Amino acid sequence: MEPQFNFFQHWYPVSPVEDLDPNQPTPVTLLGLRLVIWKPKSSPDFRVFLDQCPHRLAPLSEGRIDENTGNLMCSYHGWQFDEQGICTHIPQAENPELVSKNQENLCTVALPTRQQQDLLWVWPDVKSSQQAAKTPLPLSPQVDTSKGFVWSSFVRDLEYDWQTLVENVADPSHVPFAHHGVQGDRTLAQPIPIKILQSTANIIEAATVGRFQTTITFEPPSRLEYAIMFGDGQKQVGLVTYCLPVEPGKSRIVAQFPRNFAKTLHSLIPRWWNHVSVRNQVLDGDMVLLQQQEYFLQQQQSSSDWKTAYKLPTSADRLVIEYRNWFDKYCHGQLPWNEARISVATTRKLNENREQVLDRYKQHTQHCSSCRGALKVVQRLQVGLLIYFAIVVSIVALLPEALKMKLGLPLVMTALLGLGGYAWLKMWLSPRFYFVDYIHARR
C-alpha cells in the first residue's frame, strides 16, 4: 500500500494579502482547523494562530490589536499574545511573574507562515515546523513580474468539497457549457483531447491538443494551474488556482489570473469590477451543478465508487480520471477529517436554497477588500443621490416663477439623472455584491 498523503504537511495560501485588514483579526478555516490571521504592529508580515485563547478557548478572531503593545488581545479576559504566540499580559494576574515564569504553558499555537506572490501562506501542522522551513512554496512560475507578467487575485468560499473543486478545475471541457456567455460559447464547443505527460505522488501534468498550446499542472494538494500559449508562444495567459479543503462539503478557491500582454488594460479595469462582472459569475455557473453532483455521488458511493457512478468515455475526461486515481492511491479516497476530529455524516443534506448556495456576500464580498470598499462607495452614492434629489426638488419648489424654467428645469433634469443613477446602483450593481441567481436555461 502506498504511504498516506499528509494534507497537513503542506503550504496553503489562505488569502491574498491585499484582502487582509491589518487593523483587526480575520478568521479562516483550513482542514477543519479554525485559525485567526492578524498583523502585529511591529512586523511587516501577518501571523496565523489557532483561533483559541489558551485561557478558556475563546476565539481570538473576536479579539483586537492592542493600540499600545501592538499584540493580539483576547476580548474575553484581555490576555495578550505577541507575534510568536507567547502570552505577554494577563490582567487578572496578581503577580507579574506569573506570566514570565509560565510562558510555555500559557502561549497560544502559532503556525508557520510566509508571504510571497501576494499571498499569505500557512503550514497547518505546528509539530513539523522544521519541515515547513525546508519545504518550498508551491508557487506558480507565471506569477512573476521579471517574466513580464501582471495578475489579479480572487478568493471565494464554495458550497462543495475539495474533491469536487479539484475535479472541476481539472476539467476544461465544461467551460463552454457551464460558463456560456461568460467565459465560453456552447455553440463553439469542440472536443478537447487531454494527454497525461507525467503522474506521480507529487505532481500530475497534462496537455491539451487543440487550438491553443495548454499545459495543466496539479501539484497536490492545492495548486492547479493552466498555462495557455497563443500564436508563436510569445503571448501567455494563465489560470492559477489554489484549492483549499475547509471542512466536509466546503472548500475555498484562491485564484490568480496572470498574463504577459494587454498590461495597460489590466491596470485600467478595477479589481472589484472584474469580480462582480466575471469572476463571481464563473463560480455561480458551477455552484449548483457541483453541489448536487457531489450529493448524488455521495449517495451512490454507499454501494459503488466514482468508477461505476461516472461514465467517462472520452479523452476529455483523462485528467479527471488521473486525479481520481491519484486520490484513491495516495489518499485512500478520503480527506483527513478524522485527524481534525471532525465526524463526516454518512449522508449530507442537499441545500436547495439558492440564495444561500449563491451567497456572494458571505462567500466573497466580506473577504475581498476591493469589493468591500466598492460596496461602501455604492451605498454612500445611493444616499447622496437621494439627498441631492430631495434638495433640488425643494429648491425648485421655492424658486420664483420667473426662474423655474430658466434655472429650475436644468436642476430638475440633473436630479432626474441622479435618480436614474440611484436606480441603477440599487437595482443592478448593488445586488451583484450579494446574490444573483444563475439560471442556465435562460442563458
Side-chain angles (χ1 to χ4, degrees), residues 65-319:
I65 313 299
D66 185 77
E67 298 90 345
N68 298 317
T69 65
N71 292 332
L72 178 61
M73 177 191 289
C74 177
S75 289
Y76 196 17
H77 291 91
W79 286 32
Q80 291 191 31
F81 306 90
D82 67 13
E83 60 188 81
Q84 303 301 324
I86 296 172
C87 182
T88 60
H89 180 60
I90 298 177
Q92 296 79 24
E94 297 91 345
N95 185 349
E97 291 185 358
L98 173 71
V99 179
S100 59
K101 290 182 178 180
N102 295 278
Q103 285 184 337
E104 290 187 6
N105 294 326
L106 301 176
C107 63
T108 189
V109 179
L111 297 175
T113 57
R114 293 189 197 174
Q115 284 182 211
Q116 202 162 336
Q117 288 192 345
D118 299 335
L119 301 173
L120 174 64
W121 302 79
V122 63
W123 182 277
D125 180 24
V126 69
K127 296 178 181 178
S128 59
S129 56
Q130 290 185 346
Q131 181 181 341
K134 298 175 184 177
T135 303
L137 299 175
L139 300 173
S140 167
Q142 298 182 93
V143 182
D144 190 341
T145 54
S146 67
K147 296 178 182 178
F149 284 94
V150 293
W151 61 88
S152 62
S153 61
F154 177 81
V155 61
R156 183 163 172 175
D157 293 327
L158 305 170
E159 294 296 308
Y160 46 82
D161 202 83
W162 172 89
Q163 301 176 52
T164 306
L165 172 57
V166 174
E167 180 184 290
N168 180 61
V169 180
D171 167 32
S173 292
H174 79 280
V175 174
F177 301 95
H179 308 307
H180 172 76
V182 183
Q183 280 193 330
D185 186 334
R186 65 174 75 97
T187 64
L188 302 177
Q190 296 178 353
I192 304 179
I194 293 179
K195 180 181 179 181
I196 303 299
L197 303 179
Q198 63 170 319
S199 182
T200 68
N202 300 314
I203 195 166
I204 300 174
E205 190 173 21
T208 65
V209 180
R211 183 179 175 187
F212 303 117
Q213 181 183 346
T214 303
T215 303
I216 310 171
T217 305
F218 176 47
E219 184 181 357
S222 63
R223 184 172 73 96
L224 183 44
E225 174 172 347
Y226 284 66
I228 306 168
M229 306 285 190
F230 293 87
D232 58 0
Q234 295 299 312
K235 292 183 178 180
Q236 183 174 327
V237 64
L239 169 63
V240 182
T241 66
Y242 292 96
C243 306
L244 278 59
V246 173
E247 58 188 40
K250 307 282 186 180
S251 60
R252 167 175 280 204
I253 187 169
V254 176
Q256 294 173 306
F257 307 94
R259 65 186 183 204
N260 62 2
F261 61 95
K263 299 176 187 178
T264 302
L265 182 64
H266 167 83
S267 62
L268 291 176
I269 299 176
R271 180 172 178 246
W272 67 267
W273 177 259
N274 188 268
H275 290 180
V276 300
S277 61
V278 179
R279 306 304 176 196
N280 273 316
Q281 275 203 83
V282 170
L283 291 171
D284 287 345
D286 287 328
M287 195 80 75
V288 174
L289 301 174
L290 296 176
Q291 188 211 33
Q292 296 196 26
Q293 170 195 312
E294 181 174 282
Y295 173 78
F296 294 136
L297 178 61
Q298 186 190 42
Q299 282 188 319
Q300 294 197 34
Q301 283 182 329
S302 59
S303 58
S304 61
D305 61 9
W306 66 270
K307 294 178 182 178
T308 54
Y310 288 171
K311 310 301 178 188
L312 306 171
T314 72
S315 64
D317 292 313
R318 187 69 188 86
L319 185 52

Side-chain angles (χ1 to χ4, degrees), residues 17 19-28 35-41 46-47 51 60-67 70-73 75 120 361 366-367 372 376:
V17 174
D19 289 328
L20 297 172
D21 188 342
N23 299 312
Q24 69 178 51
T26 301
V28 67
L35 309 175
V36 57
I37 303 168
W38 71 288
K39 186 178 180 297
K41 287 190 176 180
F46 285 86
R47 295 289 185 266
D51 195 12
L60 292 171
S61 58
E62 290 295 324
R64 61 196 308 276
I65 313 299
D66 185 77
E67 298 90 345
N71 292 332
L72 178 61
M73 177 191 289
S75 289
L120 174 64
Y361 185 83
Q366 68 173 351
H367 305 305
R372 288 196 308 267
K376 286 182 181 179

Side-chain angles (χ1 to χ4, degrees), residues 352-363:
E352 298 191 75
N353 185 327
R354 298 176 75 91
E355 290 192 12
Q356 292 180 1
V357 175
L358 300 173
D359 188 339
R360 289 186 180 185
Y361 185 83
K362 287 186 177 180
Q363 296 167 7

